[in-house]
Amino acid sequence: MLRIEELRKATAEMTAPELLRCLLVREFPKGCAVTSALRARSVVVLHMIAEIDLATPVIFCHASYIFPESVEYRARIVRLLGLSDVRDLAKVETDVLPGDQDHTEEILSDVSGGGTIHSTVNLNKSLAGFECWISAAYH
């Protein structure tokens, strides 16, 4: 049985906090990264993660332009939760690493005046070296 199948079976009845604790502490200690947006559902996941391990690497995903208010909001979230390893996306994220998959997040951004911009954020370099990726970038 593949490891992912074993993990799915072992964690099928766990609550979200139990699953996160299992991944962060037991299965992949110091080997997990979390991608997050600034939406409310993402912040809920970050809160659960902060209760388990404040040093879990968090990579915030956003469109190429981020409003100053969003930068301020992100800083406030990080401060309130006490997150200690917050990262920005690697600058050049187009290459897929040998033997790996193409890792991406889909981002929806509101624009002033109404409307939404859809973009894809590549994560190949940002996730390099991690054994587990937890996506909390809900859209």
Side-chain angles (χ1 to χ4, degrees):
M1 183 181 309
L2 295 174
R3 182 149 191 232
I4 187 67
E5 292 170 355
E6 291 172 357
L7 282 171
R8 281 186 183 135
K9 185 176 179 181
T11 61
E13 301 297 319
M14 289 183 179
T15 63
E18 290 169 341
L19 173 61
L20 290 170
R21 182 171 299 282
C22 173
L23 294 174
L24 295 170
V25 176
R26 190 178 78 213
E27 296 296 330
F28 304 101
K30 308 298 179 204
C32 283
V34 178
T35 53
S36 180
L38 294 175
R39 302 211 183 260
R41 288 181 276 182
S42 299
V43 176
V44 170
V45 175
L46 291 178
H47 183 264
M48 287 187 274
I49 287 169
E51 290 183 332
I52 298 165
D53 183 1
L54 294 171
T56 300
V58 176
I59 304 162
F60 279 99
C61 299
H62 52 78
S64 56
Y65 176 80
I66 183 168
F67 291 100
E69 296 85 359
S70 296
V71 173
E72 183 180 307
Y73 178 60
R74 180 177 90 168
R76 187 169 155 227
I77 290 168
V78 169
R79 186 178 64 254
L80 289 172
L81 295 179
L83 301 171
S84 63
D85 188 352
V86 176
R87 305 173 184 204
D88 286 316
L89 295 167
K91 295 296 179 197
V92 180
E93 282 278 7
T94 56
D95 299 330
V96 179
L97 303 173
D100 206 351
Q101 301 292 317
D102 193 16
H103 300 91
T104 62
E105 288 281 18
E106 303 298 319
I107 303 296
L108 299 176
S109 305
D110 298 328
V111 293
S112 60
T116 303
I117 296 174
H118 178 269
S119 57
T120 300
V121 176
N122 293 299
L123 298 163
N124 301 313
K125 290 183 181 175
S126 294
L127 294 174
F130 292 104
E131 300 174 89
C132 178
W133 168 25
I134 300 168
S135 175
Y138 295 97
H139 314 292

